[in-house]
Amino acid sequence: MFNKPPVRHILVLVDSTETSARAVDLAGALARALHARLTGIVIIETETLHQLLSAKVLTDAEVGDFEAGLRESAARQLEAAQAMARGHGAAMQTAIL
């Protein structure tokens, strides 16, 4: 048989979609069943904002406000994902990239 568990770490992408919520739900259950680590990540894409800044469509302040809003939203999404994982008895580490 196996000397170590076949899955030691599960990485799940978190966003505001129902598909992501289902993935987090399944990942939490799987992490618990396999005694695996669980990490939820949110990826913030800011390249478009910086292109709008360089095209002078947005100001530095507006880009900063948008980025702060994206980070706040990401933090809320990860908190919800952690709560869902806890419901399965699994702890979730988080990262915003």
Side-chain angles (χ1 to χ4, degrees):
M1 200 95 227
F2 294 105
N3 290 337
K4 54 186 169 184
V7 176
R8 294 180 295 186
H9 193 171
I10 299 167
L11 180 66
V12 62
L13 180 65
V14 177
D15 61 28
S16 59
T17 64
E18 286 297 320
T19 302
S20 174
R22 181 71 178 132
V24 168
D25 189 47
L26 293 171
L30 188 61
R32 171 72 174 158
L34 297 176
H35 305 286
R37 289 178 45 212
L38 178 60
T39 302
I41 64 166
V42 172
I43 299 173
I44 298 176
E45 190 279 314
T46 59
E47 181 60 30
T48 302
L49 292 176
H50 291 281
Q51 288 175 358
L52 293 171
L53 175 64
S54 64
K56 300 188 190 288
V57 174
L58 294 176
T59 65
D60 282 328
E62 290 169 326
V63 168
D65 289 345
F66 275 116
E67 286 181 344
L70 290 171
R71 289 198 175 281
E72 289 170 11
S73 176
R76 284 192 305 273
Q77 292 168 14
L78 288 170
E79 287 172 11
Q82 284 179 311
M84 189 178 294
R86 276 193 304 272
H88 287 288
M92 176 186 281
Q93 297 174 335
T94 62
I96 299 174
L97 306 174

